[in-house]
């Protein structure tokens, strides 16, 4: 777990090379742990390699179908697709002003020689919009806003069935419901998330080593 926590810290500070090293060390200890695939997905997502990130989250779920963190990330992807489909609808309306597309940063991050985990130059918002709508195979791709929102809600309710005390899942579910204009249920989810967040430990109890005296 220490290698994974270190990888997460390096990922959050964009120290991708160090994050890869930590994940490789963790993989030598527990190569089939779903947590490893989750943190690899997180690293790839941070680099905007969205389809690769999804593949890692799906690997984690293939090992443990109740892996909470991977389930939440998958829901967030569908939520993003829902938001992007809505944005495309607005951009296609001639009565609305076009949304400016920011230019990519001129400086790209250096490449890493490690397999699978690579650093790519930042994409423009338009490229990310197109990619995120086509992340999934044709058979599972959401065809409209309501389908994408329903898939996101299903992932989150699945996560809450596994862990009803997960404040992050309640918060994300509230966002999905709010996007669907279900404000009453969204408010209930947000309130539940706030209540649970007050009692959530910084480090999960399940990660604390147990010793038999």
């Amino acid at each position: 777990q220490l290698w994974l926590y270190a990888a997460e810290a390096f990922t959050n500070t964009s120290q991708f090379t160090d994050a890869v090293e930590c994940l490789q060390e963790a993989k030598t200890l527990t190569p089939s742990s779903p947590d490893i695939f989750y943190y690899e997905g997180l690293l790839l997502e941070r680099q905007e390699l969205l389809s690769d990130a999804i593949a890692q989250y799906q690997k984690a779920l293939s090992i443990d179908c109740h892996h909470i963190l991977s389930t939440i990330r998958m829901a967030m992807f569908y939520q993003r697709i829902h938001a992007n489909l809505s944005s495309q609808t607005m951009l296609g309306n001639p009565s609305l002003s076009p949304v400016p597309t920011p230019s990519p940063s001129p400086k790209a991050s250096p490449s890493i020689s490690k397999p699978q985990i690579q650093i790519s130059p930042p994409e423009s918002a338009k490229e990310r919009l197109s990619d995120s709508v086509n992340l999934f195979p044709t058979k599972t791709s959401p065809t409209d806003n309501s389908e994408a929102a329903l898939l996101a809600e299903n992932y989150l309710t699945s996560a809450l069935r596994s862990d009803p005390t997960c404040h992050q899942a309640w918060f994300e579910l509230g966002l999905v419901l709010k996007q669907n204009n279900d404000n009453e249920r969204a408010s209930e989810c947000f309130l539940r998330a706030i209540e649970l967040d007050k009692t959530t430990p910084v480090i999960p109890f399940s990660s604390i080593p147990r010793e038999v005296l």
Side-chain angles (χ1 to χ4, degrees):
Q1 287 289 341
L2 291 177
W3 286 115
L4 296 178
Y5 291 144
E8 182 181 22
F10 285 130
T11 298
N12 291 337
T13 55
S14 299
Q15 300 180 61
F16 301 135
T17 304
D18 293 326
V20 170
E21 295 290 344
C22 292
L23 289 172
Q24 292 295 330
E25 291 291 342
K27 188 170 288 188
T28 60
L29 298 174
T30 53
S32 60
S33 170
D35 290 337
I36 292 176
F37 294 109
Y38 165 75
Y39 283 106
E40 284 182 346
L42 207 61
L43 174 60
L44 290 163
E45 185 179 349
R46 182 63 181 261
Q47 300 168 58
E48 295 293 343
L49 301 174
L50 303 182
S51 59
D52 292 333
I54 284 177
Q56 298 307 102
Y57 296 140
Q58 290 176 331
K59 286 180 182 179
L61 289 170
S62 69
I63 297 172
D64 179 6
C65 63
H66 300 295
H67 194 261
I68 300 294
L69 296 176
S70 296
T71 303
I72 292 175
R73 298 310 299 183
M74 290 297 295
M76 292 174 69
F77 274 116
Y78 279 115
Q79 181 184 354
R80 182 186 300 188
I81 291 174
H82 172 49
N84 286 344
L85 287 171
S86 298
S87 298
Q88 286 184 333
T89 301
M90 293 177 64
L91 290 172
N93 188 336
S95 65
L96 298 176
S97 301
V99 177
T101 302
S103 302
S105 171
K107 184 177 180 181
S109 304
S111 298
I112 300 176
S113 59
K114 297 291 182 180
Q116 296 182 350
I117 311 295
Q118 296 181 346
I119 299 174
S120 65
E123 301 173 295
S124 69
K126 183 177 180 179
E127 290 169 336
R128 291 198 299 271
L129 180 66
S130 176
D131 289 345
S132 63
V133 176
N134 297 285
L135 290 174
F136 300 91
T138 303
K139 292 183 180 180
T140 58
S141 298
T143 57
D144 53 38
N145 289 356
S146 59
E147 184 178 352
L150 179 60
L151 289 168
E153 184 175 346
N154 286 344
Y155 267 106
L156 291 168
T157 53
S158 175
L160 290 169
R161 280 195 296 268
S162 299
D163 182 7
T165 65
C166 181
H167 70 280
Q168 185 180 359
W170 282 108
F171 177 76
E172 296 297 336
L173 181 57
L175 292 179
V176 172
L177 295 173
K178 183 179 179 182
Q179 285 183 345
N180 289 336
N181 297 319
D182 192 345
N183 295 324
E184 183 176 353
R185 291 175 62 202
S187 298
E188 293 175 357
C189 291
F190 290 139
L191 289 174
R192 183 64 173 158
I194 293 172
E195 292 173 358
L196 292 171
D197 183 50
K198 296 177 182 178
T199 58
T200 300
V202 176
I203 299 177
F205 293 122
S206 57
S207 66
I208 300 175
R210 299 179 181 180
E211 296 182 4
V212 178
L213 301 178

